[in-house]
Amino acid sequence: MSTTTLSSTLSSSASLRLNRNASYHSTRVVDSITSVHSFISRWDPQTSVSSGFLRATTHLHSYLLHVARSASRSAHHELIRTNFILQSAMSRLDQELKNHLMSITDAHSTPEAISTVSSIVQTMISTGYGEECLNTYQSIRRSAVTSQLTEFGFDLSTYLSKNLAKLKWDKLEIMIKSWIDAAPVAFHSIFSNERQLSDRIFVSSQESVRDAIFESIVYDTASKLLSFPELVAIHVRRSPEKLFRLLDVYDALSDILPDIKSSFKSFPASEVQQKAISSLKKLSDAVQGTLSDLEKAIRKNRVKPRVAAPGGALLPLTRYMMNYLISLSDYDNSINAIESNMTPDPTKYNSSAFESSDNLQDSPASIRIARLLLVLVQKLESKAESYRDNSLSYLFLTNNVNYMINKVETSRLNNILGEEWVVAHISKVRRYVEGHLRSGWASVYAALPVKEKEAVDRIQRFETIFQKVLEEREGWVVIDAAMREEIRLLVEAMVVPPYSCWYRAYQGNATVRFSPHDVAKQIAMLYEGLNSGSSSGSGSAKFLRRFGRYLRRKGTDSSVRYQIENEDAQSRKLSLQYQTRYDIGHHGELSFRYQIKRGNSVQYM
């Protein structure tokens, strides 16, 4: 609604309250003119306008309407004189309105100041100066709204450039942060207070008129504020690092959407709603596009040199992605909202990526994150093929997937993905460990003599292979301390007990370089050396709770103690026994069976 149309509506409603049939006595008219002249001649900007002057002005306007209906010549001269006096009075009132409006910050200003402005406004409207009144009111209040936004560092004049793509990211990020700070305050507070102020000042006007006045003040500002997220979504170049700022903008806009819907109802203000909804849609598209690009980037990732990571260490991509997904997990509600209508179909992946939790179907965020983790595991398995030694390939997978598990368990990802995801990937790690043992140590066990007549030749072969394996594993890495101990104990269980049996039986028949103690010591020294130089911290503690901390005891079987760290820092001792079944000659592989004995119950891991 234009200012002219709005003022006409205001004047029409005000004129209905005038008594045009009232008789105008000359004494009353003279008193009104005298009062107006007195106010104008003694006008002081620091002095509040008197109610008597406002009444006199209203009477003067009523007299003007009365004179205008007369056709006499004298009435014409009286009309000109009265109109001139009224214009002078309105000019002063307009200045009064400006002064008082400048002193009002919002709807919570002093009741006296708001009451005075309301009286001036009603007088100007009722005397036919509604357009001048609205122009003054709108100009000052628009400036006040803009000034309040500027206090938050958000300058509408510079933030609406369509050249956002050309800005450096650090500058654009500052602009985004300013918008995130300013927009909620604008829609939660500034605009809300502005509506309350309009309602209190134009209290005598119809509700539709008050709505139109409020919207005429904030419409342009609100539209410009809501244009910024749309420009960000369209023009900002997509990259994983910028996704979080897109989500921040999406969250902020989602939070203020109810206020937008309640404050901007009528046309054209309803266009503000549509702009907000449109901006949310474009931000959703940008977020989904960025996540899809991230998935493609993982698949295409190429690492130089040729091997995935020296010594089977942690791949930089793994560390980056897990830290990235932990940050992304803070936005799971936003991702759920964004992808609620575009949930990926797990059946199109030729892998059991989503076998880890039946609940993934209920959460678009968990499906999206599980999907990215699946792609990461697939990439790790692909990179593992770059190692010439299969045992090192399995060690690389063990390090990286175990790192993923630790990160999931110690973050919000655990709640999003569910315990079944963790269990499924622990099983993967076990298979990798078994693969590492099978391909790396089975040849050592196979070299042990099984017949007395083979003792000399076989023991020399065992010593050669054992020494070679130790030398080849120099530089290999097991990044998790608990995992390192787990593998060491498994290797000892595989090699030392059968070697001890042979040693006791045949040591007098051949020259033997290594005693069982020497073999165990060499293995221990090897795995003490397979240290990345860094600890996984709380991730290791988690691993201890899952797999146990092993301490050797006497006996032909390898027995260990399993120590649990509970939340109260009280530990319970359990007995864990595992039996090794050697079937290399027949099956060419080694399988392990783990048992946890807790009292009379037996649980299989």
Side-chain angles (χ1 to χ4, degrees):
M1 188 180 295
S2 66
T3 301
T4 303
T5 304
L6 188 55
S7 64
S8 299
T9 304
L10 285 168
S11 299
S12 298
S13 61
S15 65
L16 294 176
R17 296 190 294 273
L18 293 175
N19 185 0
R20 297 187 179 187
N21 296 322
S23 60
Y24 291 90
H25 301 286
S26 59
T27 302
R28 188 177 183 184
V29 172
V30 170
D31 289 344
S32 296
I33 292 174
T34 302
S35 177
V36 171
H37 271 300
S38 175
F39 177 81
I40 293 173
S41 61
R42 293 184 293 103
W43 181 68
D44 182 358
Q46 304 301 322
T47 304
S48 296
V49 62
S50 67
S51 58
F53 172 74
L54 296 177
R55 286 195 300 271
T57 304
T58 302
H59 294 158
L60 199 60
H61 177 255
S62 299
Y63 175 67
L64 181 68
L65 295 178
H66 173 73
V67 173
R69 289 195 292 271
S70 175
S72 64
R73 179 175 296 180
S74 60
H76 177 70
H77 291 293
E78 185 67 10
L79 180 65
I80 294 174
R81 185 176 75 92
T82 303
N83 188 57
F84 175 77
I85 296 172
L86 188 61
Q87 285 183 345
S88 299
M90 288 301 106
S91 177
R92 295 304 186 191
L93 273 185
D94 188 58
Q95 188 60 48
E96 283 285 317
L97 179 61
K98 291 178 182 177
N99 293 341
H100 283 81
L101 282 174
M102 294 294 290
S103 67
I104 293 176
T105 54
D106 54 34
H108 303 294
S109 297
T110 61
E112 181 182 357
I114 293 177
S115 177
T116 299
V117 170
S118 181
S119 298
I120 294 173
V121 165
Q122 296 309 317
T123 299
M124 294 185 70
I125 291 173
S126 64
T127 53
Y129 285 81
E131 184 172 353
E132 291 81 355
C133 171
L134 284 176
N135 283 334
T136 298
Y137 184 83
Q138 290 170 338
S139 174
I140 292 176
R141 292 315 305 168
R142 284 170 182 164
S143 296
V145 168
T146 302
S147 177
Q148 291 177 75
L149 284 176
T150 304
E151 292 178 3
F152 290 91
F154 193 84
D155 186 352
L156 291 172
S157 61
T158 58
Y159 276 47
L160 297 180
S161 171
K162 293 185 178 181
N163 295 323
L164 295 181
K166 297 181 180 179
L167 288 177
K168 291 185 177 179
W169 174 241
D170 56 346
K171 292 183 178 179
L172 180 57
E173 192 172 23
I174 293 174
M175 295 172 67
I176 291 174
K177 290 179 180 178
S178 297
W179 184 92
I180 291 172
D181 291 338
V185 175
F187 286 95
H188 284 319
S189 178
I190 296 176
F191 295 163
S192 176
N193 286 331
E194 200 61 38
R195 174 176 282 281
Q196 295 178 42
L197 183 62
S198 296
D199 288 345
R200 293 181 64 182
I201 289 177
F202 295 89
V203 64
S204 300
S205 302
Q206 299 174 4
E207 182 180 0
S208 60
V209 174
R210 296 198 303 270
D211 288 345
I213 292 171
F214 160 73
E215 291 162 0
S216 69
I217 294 169
V218 303
Y219 176 80
D220 287 344
T221 302
S223 296
K224 290 176 181 178
L225 267 174
L226 295 175
S227 295
F228 181 74
E230 186 173 2
L231 290 173
V232 169
I234 294 175
H235 295 287
V236 171
R237 185 177 179 181
R238 294 176 184 174
S239 70
E241 292 76 14
K242 298 174 184 177
L243 175 64
F244 301 113
R245 284 303 171 201
L246 289 176
L247 287 167
D248 287 337
V249 175
Y250 180 90
D251 284 348
L253 187 52
S254 298
D255 288 342
I256 63 178
L257 189 58
D259 291 309
I260 295 173
K261 290 182 177 180
S262 63
S263 298
F264 299 90
K265 299 177 182 178
S266 60
F267 183 84
S270 58
E271 294 179 357
V272 175
Q273 287 190 37
Q274 298 304 318
K275 183 175 286 293
I277 294 171
S278 174
S279 294
L280 279 175
K281 178 63 170 62
K282 287 182 171 61
L283 285 168
S284 297
D285 293 342
V287 168
Q288 289 175 326
T290 302
L291 289 172
S292 297
D293 291 346
L294 175 61
E295 181 180 326
K296 294 176 184 176
I298 298 172
R299 294 184 187 278
K300 294 180 180 179
N301 178 267
R302 294 180 176 84
V303 177
K304 294 181 180 181
R306 183 184 60 80
V307 295
L314 188 66
L315 194 69
L317 175 65
T318 306
R319 188 188 304 275
Y320 171 84
M321 279 303 305
M322 294 312 301
N323 291 332
Y324 186 90
L325 292 178
I326 288 173
S327 298
L328 188 64
S329 67
D330 292 333
Y331 298 90
D332 58 326
N333 291 332
S334 301
I335 297 174
N336 284 334
I338 289 171
E339 301 212 348
S340 59
N341 296 322
M342 298 184 64
T343 303
D345 179 9
T347 60
K348 69 182 181 179
Y349 301 99
N350 56 355
S351 174
S352 56
F354 302 94
E355 67 185 0
S356 55
S357 177
D358 295 334
N359 295 325
L360 287 180
Q361 293 289 352
D362 298 332
S363 170
S366 60
I367 290 177
R368 172 65 81 169
I369 292 175
R371 177 174 167 177
L372 289 170
L373 288 171
L374 164 65
V375 175
L376 177 59
V377 172
Q378 290 176 335
K379 191 64 182 179
L380 292 173
E381 290 175 345
S382 173
K383 287 186 177 296
E385 297 176 358
S386 64
Y387 294 106
R388 293 180 179 179
D389 192 319
N390 288 338
S391 182
L392 184 55
S393 297
Y394 284 117
L395 188 62
F396 166 76
L397 291 171
T398 299
N399 280 325
N400 283 265
V401 178
N402 187 58
Y403 177 85
M404 293 169 61
I405 295 170
N406 287 334
K407 284 293 188 177
V408 168
E409 286 195 311
T410 56
S411 68
R412 292 188 72 249
L413 289 173
N414 196 29
N415 296 330
I416 295 173
L417 295 170
E419 187 63 24
E420 292 183 23
W421 185 95
V422 175
V423 171
H425 285 77
I426 287 175
S427 296
K428 278 183 178 288
V429 171
R430 286 179 181 149
R431 291 195 294 272
Y432 296 148
V433 170
E434 290 180 0
H436 168 71
L437 296 173
R438 184 173 58 247
S439 57
W441 291 96
S443 60
V444 176
Y445 169 76
L448 288 172
V450 293
K451 298 179 181 178
E452 183 177 356
K453 62 180 181 180
E454 299 175 343
V456 176
D457 294 338
R458 295 289 292 272
I459 197 59
Q460 291 178 349
R461 182 184 175 192
F462 169 83
E463 291 172 350
T464 300
I465 293 177
F466 182 66
Q467 195 65 39
K468 181 180 178 182
V469 166
L470 294 177
E471 293 173 355
E472 288 176 346
R473 276 147 182 71
E474 290 185 7
W476 289 17
V477 174
V478 182
I479 63 174
D480 184 274
M483 176 63 76
R484 194 160 52 247
E485 182 72 358
E486 161 81 357
I487 295 176
R488 181 185 69 79
L489 287 166
L490 291 175
V491 171
E492 285 187 11
M494 180 180 180
V495 176
V496 176
Y499 184 79
S500 297
C501 293
W502 174 88
Y503 184 82
R504 287 194 296 269
Y506 301 111
Q507 61 178 327
N509 300 333
T511 302
V512 182
R513 290 176 55 193
F514 301 120
S515 68
H517 176 75
D518 293 332
V519 173
K521 184 178 179 180
Q522 290 290 335
I523 293 173
M525 291 176 60
L526 170 66
Y527 281 96
E528 285 175 4
L530 300 190
N531 191 338
S532 65
S534 63
S535 174
S536 59
S538 60
S540 294
K542 282 282 188 179
F543 191 86
L544 290 175
R545 288 195 284 273
R546 291 199 308 269
F547 290 99
R549 181 165 183 165
Y550 307 128
L551 299 173
R552 290 293 307 279
R553 296 192 309 184
K554 294 181 179 180
T556 55
D557 292 332
S558 299
S559 302
V560 300
R561 285 184 300 170
Y562 181 92
Q563 186 175 3
I564 294 180
E565 301 172 10
N566 60 20
E567 295 179 355
D568 300 323
Q570 297 175 347
S571 48
R572 294 172 291 164
K573 294 182 179 179
L574 303 176
S575 175
L576 180 144
Q577 252 188 359
Y578 56 83
Q579 302 170 349
T580 56
R581 174 163 50 87
Y582 303 105
D583 50 7
I584 295 174
H586 184 66
H587 298 288
E589 65 178 19
L590 176 68
S591 63
F592 292 90
R593 184 183 182 192
Y594 303 89
Q595 301 177 9
I596 294 182
K597 293 184 178 179
R598 192 191 303 257
N600 296 324
S601 63
V602 177
Q603 298 181 359
Y604 290 90
M605 299 178 61

